[in-house]
Amino acid sequence: MSGSQVEQGAARYDVHDDCVEILFTAAQIQEKVVELGRQVGHEYEHLRPIFMPILKGGFIVAADLLRHLEPCPRGLEVEFVAASSYGKGTETSGTVTVSFDTASVKGRHVLLVDDLCDSGLTLFEVQRHVQEAGAASVKSLVLLDKTARRKMEFVPDFIGFECPNKWIVGNGMDTAQIYRSLPYIGVLKSDVQAQFLTK
């Protein structure tokens, strides 16, 4: 069957169709990031900070935030930290693996940047590791705070939006490593959710 016949005979898959609703639009996210950029810029203006995006979900939030810092702190550096408690699953395993350049944070003021705080386990463990590496201070920023999923007491220092307890994807957030590229934050359809639950 030719490519043209495939295109005529079957609808092309559209990743956007996997979402039943949009919780936060791209415009709303942009507006919130600008607001956070002002707060963080003033907080760290004279502290020569290190911003640490938490991979993988925090990279888009961090990239947007860095471009909207006002003022941009003098001597700002960026170091990535790899942390995961999910792997390719949809539920946290309860065990967090953390990896970063420990020497880079010694004596520095660190801001952890992530997409979402839900159980609180990942941010708690990353913060603990960075503190133990000798950071002068460690704070955290998340775009979304989903308190209904908390498994331990943890409150991020900077929060974009309070998030309802729904299955969300987009703007860096994934399900089984998919959907990070969506420009908004959406809720997966129940039948799509079921496909991941059965894998």
Side-chain angles (χ1 to χ4, degrees), residues 69-90:
L69 292 171
E70 184 58 45
C72 182
R74 184 175 184 178
L76 167 67
E77 297 179 28
V78 178
E79 288 285 346
F80 292 94
V81 53
S84 176
S85 64
Y86 287 89
K88 291 189 176 180
T90 59

Side-chain angles (χ1 to χ4, degrees), residues 28-89:
Q28 287 174 311
I29 294 169
Q30 176 79 0
E31 183 178 351
K32 182 59 67 173
V33 169
V34 170
E35 177 186 322
L36 290 169
R38 292 195 187 102
Q39 294 177 25
V40 170
H42 285 289
E43 175 100 6
Y44 288 93
E45 183 175 4
H46 304 294
L47 296 180
R48 293 183 59 251
I50 291 182
F51 284 11
M52 296 187 75
I54 298 178
L55 299 175
K56 298 176 183 173
F59 80 101
I60 288 182
V61 177
D64 288 342
L65 178 69
L66 286 166
R67 289 177 292 198
H68 289 91
L69 292 171
E70 184 58 45
C72 182
R74 184 175 184 178
L76 167 67
E77 297 179 28
V78 178
E79 288 285 346
F80 292 94
V81 53
S84 176
S85 64
Y86 287 89
K88 291 189 176 180

Side-chain angles (χ1 to χ4, degrees), residues 3-198:
S4 60
Q5 287 174 314
V6 171
E7 290 178 6
Q8 292 173 4
R12 179 174 293 175
Y13 169 71
D14 188 340
V15 67
H16 301 282
D17 291 337
D18 285 356
C19 290
V20 66
E21 67 173 304
I22 295 176
L23 278 182
F24 302 105
T25 66
Q28 287 174 311
I29 294 169
Q30 176 79 0
E31 183 178 351
K32 182 59 67 173
V33 169
V34 170
E35 177 186 322
L36 290 169
R38 292 195 187 102
Q39 294 177 25
V40 170
H42 285 289
E43 175 100 6
Y44 288 93
E45 183 175 4
H46 304 294
L47 296 180
R48 293 183 59 251
I50 291 182
F51 284 11
M52 296 187 75
I54 298 178
L55 299 175
K56 298 176 183 173
F59 80 101
I60 288 182
V61 177
D64 288 342
L65 178 69
L66 286 166
R67 289 177 292 198
H68 289 91
L69 292 171
E70 184 58 45
C72 182
R74 184 175 184 178
L76 167 67
E77 297 179 28
V78 178
E79 288 285 346
F80 292 94
V81 53
S84 176
S85 64
Y86 287 89
K88 291 189 176 180
T90 59
E91 291 289 333
T92 179
S93 66
T95 300
V96 182
T97 57
V98 180
S99 177
F100 64 98
D101 179 4
T102 56
S104 68
V105 303
K106 189 171 183 179
R108 301 294 296 275
H109 297 278
V110 176
L111 179 68
L112 306 175
V113 183
D114 208 357
D115 52 359
L116 170 71
C117 182
D118 51 6
S119 71
L121 291 171
T122 297
L123 278 164
F124 177 84
E125 283 299 310
V126 173
Q127 180 169 295
R128 181 176 67 82
H129 278 77
V130 174
Q131 287 173 332
E132 290 177 353
S137 69
V138 187
K139 292 186 177 183
S140 59
L141 178 149
V142 296
L143 183 62
L144 299 182
D145 192 22
K146 189 188 286 188
T147 55
R149 299 268 295 177
R150 279 294 193 281
K151 293 189 175 181
M152 63 188 311
E153 287 189 23
F154 188 90
V155 181
D157 298 281
F158 302 93
I159 297 170
F161 301 103
E162 298 292 337
C163 182
N165 190 19
K166 295 184 177 184
W167 193 321
I168 55 173
V169 292
N171 202 73
M173 283 168 279
D174 74 299
T175 288
Q177 306 302 323
I178 307 171
Y179 304 110
R180 296 189 195 278
S181 62
L182 294 176
Y184 51 79
I185 295 167
V187 179
L188 282 186
K189 292 178 178 177
S190 58
D191 58 326
V192 177
Q193 295 177 24
Q195 295 173 24
F196 291 102
L197 291 172
T198 56

